[in-house]
Amino acid sequence: MFFKILPIVAVISTKISIFAAASKLIDKQDMTLQEEITRRRTFAVIAHPDAGKTTLTEKLLLFGGAIHIAGAVKSNKIKKGATSDFMEIERQRGISVATSVMGFEYKDIKINILDTPGHEDFAEDTYRTLTAVDSVIIVIDGAKGVESQTRKLMNVCRMRNTPVMVFVNKLDRPCKDPFDLLDEIENELQIRVRPLSFPISSGPTFKGVYNLYEHNINLFTSDERQTADATTVQIEDISSPELDTLISKRYATQLRDDIELVEGVYEQFEREQYLAGRLAPVFFGSAVNNFGVRELLECFIRIAPSPRPSTTQTRNVEPAEQKLTGFIFKIHANMDPNHRDRIAFMKICSGVFERNKNYLHVPSGKSMKFSSPTAFMAEKKSVIDFAYPGDIVGLHDTGSFKIGDTFTEGEKLKFTGIPSFSPELFRYIENADPMKFKQLAKGIDQLMDEGVAQLFVSSLNGRKIIGTVGALQFEVIEYRLEHEYGAKCRWEPISIHKACWIESDNAEQLADFKRRKHANMAVDKHGRDVFLADTSYSLALAQEKFPDIRFHFTSEF
Ligand code: G4P
């Protein structure tokens, strides 16, 4: 049972503090680093658009005291129908840089929420952000259940075994049966679930949620909207007649049956299983009413992981290593077209990041220092002197950084797990202004470094092909090329179903494949072979005919 894990967590944290105290005598700096790591939680809230991600994020910030009024966090989603409204895109880009990382403290825990774009055309950006988090909270609309975007995002979490917690939202509206929802989450997201709270009805008859580990009931009354403290009633024993008085006999009986079923059907909550990404604790509530959010946050700070080791091509990096390592997972262009400078977001993986200290930018071999690195507390951005593993630092970039770039104190490391995903839409990009050839080439190059889309060069005719995950990106590219680089582009259609990276140990078969499929071959920006399958059938056929060739749908394999 979940409440059994609480003492375990307490023991773990006591052990950590004993270890911490002992180390303090040996090395003060080392100890401070360990303490800073232990108290950090870096995560993302992910959801299908409209499920309530922005609302939940805002309520979490309210609890942390990082903001004081509802409505302070702007939704960064680009509303449907706004696809050709460039001002809207620009406005959204401005909002999303402000809310890219939201840091706050709650009960001595430093929480970093990494924001993800709401619009599904920017899914690639979300995938990359997920490479920089240690855990994830998934928001699901209780009336709609698991939706397409949630499924896709969960696949990315699964690739990295990211621990996930689920918040079923909008219980104040008529929702699906909670057991059906739990089944749906298990089947659709392919993860075992364990409810840690359970709803008492939903919609107009929504009574509240029963907290399965604190053994209390959070009563839902309509006049408690937007407050941080809901009415909580301690229930030691749900068979007590007090329950019938509180929520009526009908719902009390229902709750008793439901809880019996939960305890009988679902396995006990084990933190290790959650940390391994195999078991998702589930909470129910209503974000807009700030209902069930405290339970989620309290449990989150207890069980969610602090920064975890990161993998590189050569070794694992432990957060407590003395020397700084970090990687860039996001680059944000400046809003002002007259300044092409960008902000690169670096996730600190180990050591302490210090302002004005020299670090090695591994890809270029250059030593660099940063005089004004920024950190993000709620909606404010400020210059910082130090940052610790789990933190995100904003670095001023004049165009020399790329997604995935590593910084160290001298070691030539390359972090792995920051893949590009196979795009879904493709177009030839052509120069529409012969006088601006150089500007166009530079613009395309920099936008690709930012990860806006992917560039492939056709082996057949040398033409440049842009691949994206959403149609909106083509408009963003065209607009930004013109406004930031003074270049004009034109799109031409190309019929491609999927781009996949190919490799093989059988050199002969690989050469044969490339010869036969010459018209469908391309190289990515690193010069790697990419097969552009024009239909799912031709892809399946190729896979069948060339069994020694491995077809990859992410760039990292
Ligand atoms: P997103 O970031 O996941 O896209 O979702 P967001 O938080 O923007 O929420 C989408 C809509 O759902 C918003 O309504 C929001 O108020 C509503 N919502 C969020 N949580 C709950 C809840 O617990 N219950 C109910 N009934 N609604 C909820 P909107 O009309 O699109 O925007 P707004 O005008 O209310 O801001």
Side-chain angles (χ1 to χ4, degrees):
M1 225 162 284
F2 174 70
F3 46 85
K4 286 194 183 143
I5 77 138
L6 298 183
I8 299 171
V9 175
V11 171
I12 294 169
S13 42
T14 317
K15 275 192 180 155
I16 290 169
S17 27
I18 292 169
F19 166 68
S23 313
K24 207 172 246 170
L25 299 170
I26 305 162
D27 185 336
K28 190 167 180 298
Q29 196 196 352
D30 180 35
M31 203 40 256
T32 315
L33 174 60
Q34 185 58 57
E35 279 171 354
E36 292 290 357
I37 294 166
T38 308
R39 76 184 196 94
R40 270 170 172 73
R41 305 281 181 277
T42 301
F43 76 107
V45 183
I46 56 175
H48 189 90
D50 271 348
K53 177 176 74 74
T54 311
T55 314
L56 179 69
T57 305
E58 180 176 284
K59 301 302 166 181
L60 292 172
L61 292 174
L62 273 174
F63 271 104
I67 53 169
H68 300 286
I69 46 155
V73 179
K74 299 284 179 299
S75 166
N76 72 0
K77 69 186 151 189
I78 296 169
K79 299 270 185 203
K80 285 190 190 81
T83 48
S84 50
D85 183 349
F86 297 116
M87 285 318 291
E88 179 68 2
I89 294 172
E90 288 298 282
R91 194 180 67 78
Q92 297 294 352
R93 285 178 48 214
I95 291 168
S96 66
V97 76
T99 58
S100 280
V101 186
M102 289 160 283
F104 68 96
E105 303 240 349
Y106 180 70
K107 297 191 173 173
D108 277 343
I109 300 288
K110 167 80 193 293
I111 298 176
N112 295 314
I113 307 183
L114 271 54
D115 194 32
T116 54
H119 197 291
E120 58 188 302
D121 281 8
F122 290 92
E124 178 91 21
D125 207 8
T126 304
Y127 300 156
R128 274 194 301 265
T129 298
L130 293 181
T131 65
V133 300
D134 298 300
S135 69
V136 150
I137 294 179
I138 298 179
V139 186
I140 288 172
D141 183 327
K144 294 186 178 150
V146 176
E147 295 172 87
S148 58
Q149 195 61 13
T150 325
R151 229 173 280 126
K152 279 193 194 168
L153 294 169
M154 183 63 200
N155 287 340
V156 181
C157 294
R158 203 175 303 105
M159 278 170 59
R160 304 171 46 83
N161 299 323
T162 309
V164 303
M165 280 170 111
V166 177
F167 183 75
V168 179
N169 191 25
K170 306 197 184 181
L171 264 291
D172 59 316
R173 293 236 183 106
C175 286
K176 292 185 178 180
D177 173 79
F179 287 106
D180 289 348
L181 275 166
L182 291 166
D183 282 353
E184 192 176 322
I185 297 167
E186 232 166 30
N187 295 332
E188 299 265 341
L189 301 185
Q190 294 168 44
I191 187 161
R192 297 201 317 272
V193 296
R194 176 45 158 118
L196 293 183
S197 78
F198 207 82
I200 307 160
S201 189
S202 70
T205 56
F206 181 48
K207 299 281 173 214
V209 289
Y210 179 65
N211 188 326
L212 279 140
Y213 64 95
E214 284 179 5
H215 291 276
N216 54 32
I217 286 185
N218 222 337
L219 286 178
F220 181 75
T221 51
S222 52
D223 61 349
E224 66 201 17
R225 283 166 194 267
Q226 312 292 340
T227 65
D229 307 297
T231 320
T232 305
V233 182
Q234 197 67 31
I235 296 281
E236 288 306 330
D237 179 1
I238 56 167
S239 59
S240 130
E242 193 194 343
L243 188 66
D244 302 59
T245 327
L246 276 174
I247 57 173
S248 85
K249 189 164 177 49
R250 177 180 160 201
Y251 290 111
T253 311
Q254 175 79 47
L255 179 66
R256 289 182 192 115
D257 291 350
D258 286 348
I259 299 305
E260 200 183 324
L261 199 57
V262 167
E263 300 295 5
V265 169
Y266 294 98
E267 59 193 298
Q268 294 181 2
F269 180 83
E270 281 178 37
R271 185 172 181 237
E272 288 314 312
Q273 292 291 312
Y274 156 70
L275 291 178
R278 288 195 283 268
L279 182 72
V282 180
F283 289 83
F284 292 83
S286 167
V288 80
N289 292 299
N290 206 353
F291 196 83
V293 179
R294 186 189 65 81
E295 289 73 11
L296 178 78
L297 181 60
E298 289 288 338
C299 180
F300 174 81
I301 60 168
R302 280 198 197 119
I303 68 168
S306 41
R308 309 201 292 172
S310 316
T311 48
T312 72
Q313 283 173 346
T314 38
R315 66 183 185 88
N316 276 356
V317 171
E318 293 292 331
E321 287 178 21
Q322 288 293 313
K323 291 193 171 160
L324 173 107
T325 63
F327 67 87
I328 289 172
F329 68 95
K330 182 183 175 113
I331 294 176
H332 211 294
N334 199 314
M335 289 281 290
D336 180 351
N338 298 322
H339 297 273
R340 215 169 291 149
D341 297 359
R342 311 184 286 188
I343 297 181
F345 292 83
M346 172 161 74
K347 158 102 186 258
I348 312 290
C349 298
S350 69
V352 183
F353 175 89
E354 292 178 45
R355 186 161 78 94
N356 279 330
K357 184 170 169 177
N358 274 308
Y359 294 114
L360 173 69
H361 174 238
V362 176
S364 67
K366 285 185 189 153
S367 177
M368 296 182 180
K369 62 180 175 182
F370 299 94
S371 59
S372 48
T374 44
F376 308 83
M377 285 302 275
E379 69 272 62
K380 285 190 208 75
K381 201 172 89 180
S382 53
V383 173
I384 45 119
D385 290 319
F386 301 100
Y388 300 92
D391 285 344
I392 310 299
V393 181
L395 304 176
H396 180 233
D397 170 27
T398 50
S400 33
F401 301 155
K402 287 192 298 297
I403 303 277
D405 282 3
T406 304
F407 284 90
T408 67
E409 292 192 25
E411 195 178 349
K412 290 200 170 65
L413 290 176
K414 168 107 182 76
F415 284 98
T416 55
I418 314 144
S420 296
F421 291 82
S422 178
E424 291 167 14
L425 301 169
F426 303 85
R427 284 182 201 172
Y428 282 122
I429 184 165
E430 297 295 341
N431 187 7
D433 181 351
M435 305 299 286
K436 299 288 169 62
F437 178 79
K438 268 193 185 159
Q439 285 87 335
L440 184 77
K442 184 173 183 189
I444 294 177
D445 218 35
Q446 290 208 345
L447 293 181
M448 298 308 120
D449 286 352
E450 260 182 51
V452 174
Q454 291 178 61
L455 175 71
F456 305 101
V457 178
S458 163
S459 307
L460 180 70
N461 51 26
R463 289 174 78 182
K464 286 180 175 169
I465 300 165
I466 301 285
T468 69
V469 291
L472 195 53
Q473 258 91 335
F474 293 113
E475 297 184 42
V476 172
I477 291 170
E478 190 175 335
Y479 179 82
R480 290 189 55 191
L481 282 173
E482 189 172 343
H483 289 82
E484 292 171 32
Y485 299 90
K488 273 202 163 70
C489 75
R490 193 180 66 238
W491 302 106
E492 283 186 18
I494 177 170
S495 169
I496 300 174
H497 160 69
K498 200 119 191 115
C500 30
W501 288 266
I502 58 164
E503 55 156 6
S504 177
D505 301 326
N506 182 340
E508 208 177 311
Q509 193 169 99
L510 186 64
D512 185 33
F513 181 86
K514 283 165 70 174
R515 198 172 51 247
R516 288 191 200 206
K517 302 284 177 193
H518 185 60
N520 292 77
M521 289 304 300
V523 286
D524 72 2
K525 65 177 177 187
H526 304 291
R528 290 182 307 179
D529 290 327
V530 178
F531 173 53
L532 306 173
D534 31 27
T535 60
S536 57
Y537 176 71
S538 66
L539 177 59
L541 207 64
Q543 283 171 316
E544 196 186 304
K545 275 198 172 167
F546 296 87
D548 286 354
I549 292 180
R550 292 183 290 276
F551 296 79
H552 300 281
F553 299 98
T554 67
S555 64
E556 207 167 72
F557 38 82

